[in-house]
Amino acid sequence: MKTARVNNVVLSYRDSGSGNPLVFLHAFPLNQSMWNDQVAEFSKTFRVITLDWRGFGGSSLSEEPSTMAIYADDLAGLLDHLEIDRATICGLSMGGYAAFSFLGKYPDRIEALVLADTRATSDSEATRENRRLMAVLAREKGPAAIADQIVSKLLGSKTMANNPAIVARVRTMIEGNGAEGIARALLGMAERPDSTPLLAGIRCQTLIVVGEDDSLTPPSEAELMAKSVAGAQLAIIPGVGHLPNLELPQEFNRVVRAFLSSS
């Protein structure tokens, strides 16, 4: 991993391959290693960038809260560091929330957009309260307690039953993060605004991907987004949950590569 000082934090990132820039934004509460299969595949033909959000993986924290707007600024700062003006952005779950913020603040820097297992709408009050309670849990009990709460929600039932290696990999990623980074991300997600008004204004080629069995951001959310973005493509990956790139990487990669070839 490499590091760059951006916006008062040290960001850990990877820069692999050559060609048109393709940036993968990781989900909560994981880290950039969730994209290992995608880095291996797409770095053959693209310049692939991944990063750990502040407070995750190898990235540090500052005194600022970890809002989605701050994540967007961190991404812009990293792209500046790498001398990349425009890139295709692929954000999954919380990475998608950050992508929406990046879209609102830096629309001219997005070449094409992949929104995976995410939603444009803001949280309900019940969901906000649950995130606040989970932030308290993270600070009091640590990342392992968060893993206990969330692993079975992140992965589809078939993955949970039949792929213990993926279950263990996800748990290891969660437990490798700092409690404070997790807590601040939870609070930042709770505070994020409704991004639905941005959808009609998206002019770049857009792919929306979702796992068929995703209970956190179900296919109905993906379908609503696809209907609101002019010309958007929609792909529903069967038999997986909230992390299709981990649960069925070959199919996720096939869908994304087909989109990139057409955009």
Coordinates of all heavy atoms in Angstrom, one line a residue, residues 27 35 37 46 57 63 78 87 93 129-130 141 154 158 173 200 212 216 230-231 235 244 246 257 259:
A27 N -17.1 -0.3 1.1 CA -18.3 -0.4 1.9 C -17.9 -0.2 3.4 O -16.8 -0.4 3.8 CB -19.0 -1.7 1.7
W35 N -11.8 -5.1 -2.4 CA -11.7 -5.0 -3.9 C -10.6 -5.8 -4.5 O -10.2 -5.6 -5.7 CB -11.5 -3.5 -4.3 CG -12.7 -2.6 -3.9 CD1 -12.6 -1.6 -3.0 CD2 -14.0 -2.6 -4.4 NE1 -13.9 -1.0 -2.9 CE2 -14.7 -1.6 -3.8 CE3 -14.7 -3.5 -5.3 CZ2 -16.1 -1.3 -4.0 CZ3 -16.0 -3.2 -5.6 CH2 -16.7 -2.2 -5.0
D37 N -10.2 -8.8 -5.7 CA -10.6 -9.5 -6.9 C -10.7 -8.5 -8.1 O -10.4 -8.9 -9.2 CB -11.8 -10.3 -6.7 CG -11.6 -11.5 -5.7 OD1 -10.6 -12.2 -5.8 OD2 -12.5 -11.7 -4.8
F46 N -7.1 -1.2 -16.9 CA -7.3 0.1 -16.4 C -6.3 0.5 -15.3 O -5.6 -0.4 -14.8 CB -8.7 0.1 -15.7 CG -9.9 0.0 -16.6 CD1 -10.4 -1.2 -17.0 CD2 -10.5 1.1 -17.2 CE1 -11.4 -1.4 -17.9 CE2 -11.6 1.0 -18.0 CZ -12.1 -0.2 -18.4
G57 N -8.8 0.7 7.8 CA -7.6 0.1 7.2 C -6.4 0.8 7.7 O -6.1 1.0 8.9
E63 N -9.4 15.5 13.5 CA -10.4 15.9 14.5 C -11.8 16.1 13.8 O -12.8 16.2 14.5 CB -10.0 17.2 15.1 CG -8.7 17.1 16.0 CD -8.9 16.1 17.1 OE1 -10.0 16.1 17.8 OE2 -8.0 15.2 17.3
L78 N -7.0 12.9 -3.1 CA -6.2 11.8 -3.6 C -6.1 11.8 -5.1 O -4.9 11.6 -5.6 CB -6.8 10.5 -3.1 CG -6.0 9.2 -3.6 CD1 -4.6 9.2 -3.0 CD2 -6.8 7.9 -3.1
A87 N -12.2 10.3 -13.6 CA -12.2 8.8 -13.4 C -13.5 8.2 -13.4 O -14.5 8.9 -13.1 CB -11.5 8.5 -12.1
S93 N -22.3 0.5 -1.4 CA -22.8 0.7 0.0 C -22.4 2.1 0.4 O -22.7 3.1 -0.2 CB -22.4 -0.4 0.9 OG -23.1 -0.2 2.2
E129 N -31.2 6.4 14.3 CA -31.1 6.1 15.7 C -30.3 4.8 15.9 O -29.5 4.6 16.8 CB -32.5 6.0 16.4 CG -32.4 5.6 17.9 CD -31.6 6.6 18.7 OE1 -31.5 7.8 18.3 OE2 -31.2 6.3 19.8
N130 N -30.5 3.8 15.0 CA -29.8 2.6 15.1 C -28.3 2.8 14.8 O -27.5 2.2 15.5 CB -30.4 1.6 14.0 CG -29.7 0.2 14.1 OD1 -29.7 -0.5 15.2 ND2 -29.0 -0.2 13.1
K141 N -17.5 -1.4 22.9 CA -17.2 -2.8 22.8 C -16.2 -3.2 21.7 O -15.7 -4.3 21.6 CB -18.5 -3.6 22.6 CG -19.5 -3.5 23.6 CD -19.1 -4.1 25.0 CE -20.2 -4.0 26.0 NZ -19.8 -4.6 27.3
L154 N -24.6 -8.3 5.9 CA -23.8 -7.9 4.7 C -23.9 -9.0 3.6 O -23.8 -8.7 2.4 CB -22.4 -7.6 5.1 CG -22.1 -6.4 5.9 CD1 -20.7 -6.3 6.4 CD2 -22.5 -5.1 5.2
K158 N -27.1 -17.6 1.2 CA -26.3 -18.7 0.5 C -24.9 -18.6 0.8 O -24.2 -19.6 1.1 CB -26.6 -18.7 -1.0 CG -28.0 -19.0 -1.4 CD -28.2 -18.9 -2.9 CE -29.6 -19.2 -3.3 NZ -29.9 -19.1 -4.7
M173 N -11.8 -8.2 8.0 CA -11.8 -6.8 7.6 C -12.4 -5.9 8.7 O -11.8 -4.8 9.0 CB -12.5 -6.6 6.3 CG -11.6 -7.0 5.1 SD -12.4 -6.5 3.5 CE -13.4 -7.9 3.2
A200 N -31.6 12.8 -11.5 CA -32.1 13.3 -12.8 C -31.0 14.1 -13.5 O -31.1 14.3 -14.7 CB -33.3 14.2 -12.6
E212 N -29.3 -9.8 -5.6 CA -30.7 -10.2 -5.5 C -31.2 -10.4 -4.1 O -32.4 -10.0 -3.8 CB -30.9 -11.6 -6.3 CG -32.3 -12.1 -6.3 CD -32.3 -13.5 -6.9 OE1 -31.3 -14.3 -6.8 OE2 -33.3 -13.8 -7.6
L216 N -30.2 -5.0 2.9 CA -29.9 -3.6 3.4 C -30.2 -2.6 2.4 O -30.8 -1.5 2.7 CB -28.4 -3.6 3.7 CG -27.9 -4.4 4.9 CD1 -26.4 -4.3 5.1 CD2 -28.6 -4.0 6.2
A230 N -31.1 9.0 -16.5 CA -31.3 8.8 -17.9 C -30.3 7.8 -18.5 O -29.1 7.9 -18.3 CB -31.2 10.1 -18.6
G231 N -30.9 6.7 -19.1 CA -30.0 5.8 -19.8 C -29.3 4.8 -18.9 O -28.4 4.1 -19.3
A235 N -28.2 -4.0 -13.2 CA -27.9 -5.4 -13.1 C -28.2 -6.0 -11.8 O -27.7 -5.4 -10.8 CB -26.4 -5.6 -13.5
P244 N -21.8 -8.2 -3.5 CA -21.7 -9.1 -4.7 C -20.3 -9.2 -5.2 O -19.9 -10.3 -5.8 CB -22.6 -8.5 -5.7 CG -22.8 -7.1 -5.3 CD -22.7 -7.1 -3.8
L246 N -17.6 -9.6 -3.5 CA -17.0 -10.6 -2.7 C -17.6 -11.9 -2.9 O -17.0 -13.0 -2.9 CB -17.0 -10.2 -1.3 CG -16.0 -9.1 -0.8 CD1 -16.3 -8.6 0.6 CD2 -14.6 -9.6 -0.9
R257 N -17.4 -5.1 -16.3 CA -16.6 -5.0 -17.5 C -17.4 -4.7 -18.8 O -17.1 -4.0 -19.7 CB -15.7 -6.2 -17.7 CG -14.8 -6.1 -18.9 CD -13.8 -7.2 -19.0 NE -12.7 -7.1 -18.0 CZ -11.7 -6.3 -18.1 NH1 -11.6 -5.4 -19.1 NH2 -10.8 -6.2 -17.2
F259 N -20.2 -3.2 -18.9 CA -20.6 -1.7 -18.8 C -19.5 -0.8 -19.3 O -19.7 0.1 -20.1 CB -21.1 -1.4 -17.4 CG -21.1 0.1 -17.1 CD1 -22.2 0.8 -17.7 CD2 -20.2 0.7 -16.3 CE1 -22.3 2.2 -17.4 CE2 -20.3 2.1 -16.1 CZ -21.3 2.8 -16.7

